[in-house]
Amino acid sequence: MQDQVSPGRLPRQIPFIIANEACERFSFYGMRNILTPFLISSLLLFLPEAERAGEAKHTFHTFVIGVYFFPLLGGWLADRFFGKYHTILWFSLIYCAGHACLAAFDDNLKGFYAGLALIALGSGGIKPLVASFMGDQFNQSNKKYANAIYDAFYWSINLGSFFASLLMPIYLKNYGPSVAFGIPGVLMALATLFFWSGRRKYVYVPPAPPNPDSFTRVCRSALLARAPGQGRPGLATAAFGAALALASVVAGVFSDFVIGACGGLVLFLAFGGIGVAQQLERARGLHADAAVDGVRAVLRLLIVFALITPFWSLFDQKASTWIVQANAMVPVTISWFGGDFTFLPAQLQALNPMLVMLLIPFNNLVLFPALRRVGFQPTPLRRMTTGIALTGVSWIVIGLIQVALDAGTPVSMAWQILPYVILTCGEVLVSATGLEFAYSQAPASMKGAIMSFFNLTVTVGSLWVLVVNASVKNATVIDAIKSSGFEVMAFQMFFFAGFALLAALVFGLYARRYQMADYYRSA
């Protein structure tokens, strides 16, 4: 393994990775944050007006599901065959091709959707690997810098997102979709160039060779192993989950394939994980104790990830549901260099990355040290518990705004600032913390795959959104909602708020029993 890290010093190759991430995030958020308004105002005009917002939300969250599903593929290819560097580079080129399709086919539904598919593949393929590749640049001698660098990494993501959120809606309005979707493509090309430029300085952790004690082999041994005088309850649990997963996929063929396929994946992983846990000790003697303990660590980590999924259900709807709400609000106009500037609904999303860039240094330099001085340790799990709860609170506020709109009260878009602030406070405690937490808790042979599972939490989060949106298309459900005194959109907002608050409670209870691990490389 090539190692160009000076003991105890900050790795000099980190700026290349952070520059790559800032440009890539501009490209991704630049196209993502104008996707919903573009679909409603341009590409879906063939639909009745009342159906456009719903179809745009469905398309948006289907795209998000793809983006955060393909990390499974990227992580597997990197861990087993090509290594992180080459996998990132090749998927980045696919990513660039997807952007080119969006710019070229802005008036062609099939061509545009093909571009979205390529971006989902390219972006998803690199997503678990860049953060993990950055972690590879550290070892035990300089891991003290890792938390600050991961925060800087997340800060760079939001720097790109801020300018993308602020500028791209203007380009879409003034110059049209081909320019608005073309600019993010240029930024993605720059991101690829920056990443390639650091190739002579990186630490390259090679792909894991075929391992008789791999995660999947230990799981298989645990499920198939027999114990004297005992049945195989774990295998029965896993088989039941596989049958449910297959049924979900088949049902999806006749209704909504994305919901069916993703639901099947969730069922397969959930019941398979439970089954392995039931019989894991049977793998001892067949595999090294360290391998069995590593599988147990991964299974415990997957429970943490599952409890994060409600956070993503709420967070990603700021680019869909919150924009739809803002379209019905009174625009905000400010005086700017002698003229008036009116904010577009999609531009309010710029509040999120701007606040992240302020909150990360505030938390690290002011809030967390102050908490430690009074005897309270803001551990990663405590931070994530608080973050999920704050996200739920933000949706209570956004729901109250919707109730006012449903009553016919004119409401300024400025009222969305408050829920954006609360949502962002939750985000920095969940997402930024979760990146470093996931890497530090993953055994060496599973770094890429574990980061893939972390990203899969976003897919599952959008799956819950699609399920809820599909359920409110049923007349019986709609009548039941209206009998509660709320309109459908407001009811959904309060439902998601309760979903997150319940998840925060369960997460906090589980976090009290979770034992932290340390899987950074040796110096």
Side-chain angles (χ1 to χ4, degrees), residues 171-189:
Y171 282 105
L172 178 63
K173 178 182 177 182
N174 294 340
Y175 300 102
S178 60
V179 173
F181 287 111
I183 293 173
V186 173
L187 266 293
M188 186 56 221

Side-chain angles (χ1 to χ4, degrees), residues 100-352:
C101 287
L102 295 193
F105 298 109
D106 59 282
D107 58 352
N108 182 297
L109 188 68
K110 291 183 178 179
F112 191 86
Y113 280 5
L116 288 179
L118 289 173
I119 290 177
L121 175 60
S123 175
I126 70 173
K127 191 166 290 295
L129 303 178
V130 178
S132 182
F133 186 68
M134 186 170 71
D136 288 344
Q137 311 308 306
F138 294 90
N139 56 38
Q140 291 289 345
S141 72
N142 58 12
K143 71 175 185 179
K144 64 183 179 182
Y145 297 110
N147 184 259
I149 290 299
Y150 269 102
D151 281 341
F153 180 78
Y154 203 71
W155 197 89
S156 73
I157 290 173
N158 285 276
L159 179 67
S161 176
F162 171 74
F163 285 107
S165 301
L166 198 63
L167 297 176
M168 301 321 299
I170 296 175
Y171 282 105
L172 178 63
K173 178 182 177 182
N174 294 340
Y175 300 102
S178 60
V179 173
F181 287 111
I183 293 173
V186 173
L187 266 293
M188 186 56 221
L190 283 176
T192 306
L193 180 61
F194 280 131
F195 183 74
W196 176 80
S197 298
R199 65 195 182 281
R200 301 187 188 281
K201 296 180 173 62
Y202 296 136
V203 172
Y204 295 94
V205 177
N211 181 6
D213 293 329
S214 69
F215 177 80
T216 54
R217 291 183 180 183
V218 173
C219 290
R220 184 177 62 187
S221 295
L223 289 174
L224 297 180
R226 296 181 181 274
Q230 299 181 37
R232 290 188 286 184
L235 180 61
T237 300
F240 179 68
L244 289 179
L246 180 60
S248 177
V249 173
V250 172
V253 172
F254 298 100
S255 54
D256 189 309
F257 181 75
V258 173
I259 293 177
C262 290
L265 177 63
V266 170
L267 291 167
F268 180 79
L269 291 175
F271 281 90
I274 293 170
V276 170
Q278 286 178 286
Q279 298 183 188
L280 183 58
E281 288 304 309
R282 297 186 185 185
R284 292 196 188 275
L286 301 174
H287 298 278
D289 286 349
V292 177
D293 292 338
V295 170
R296 188 176 299 282
V298 170
L299 293 178
R300 291 169 58 245
L301 196 57
L302 292 181
I303 296 174
V304 174
F305 290 175
L307 294 171
I308 292 175
T309 61
F311 162 77
W312 292 111
S313 294
L314 279 63
F315 180 77
D316 275 330
Q317 288 189 77
K318 70 179 177 61
S320 59
T321 303
W322 288 24
I323 289 180
V324 172
Q325 182 189 73
N327 284 331
M329 301 174 79
V330 178
V332 174
T333 300
I334 62 172
S335 296
W336 184 262
F337 291 107
D340 291 335
F341 178 81
T342 300
F343 282 92
L344 300 169
Q347 286 181 299
L348 285 181
Q349 292 178 89
L351 286 169
N352 172 251

Side-chain angles (χ1 to χ4, degrees), residues 382-398:
R382 285 174 174 172
R383 279 181 266 166
M384 287 190 279
T385 302
T386 305
I388 297 170
L390 285 174
T391 306
V393 172
S394 74
W395 273 71
I396 293 176
V397 178
I398 208 76

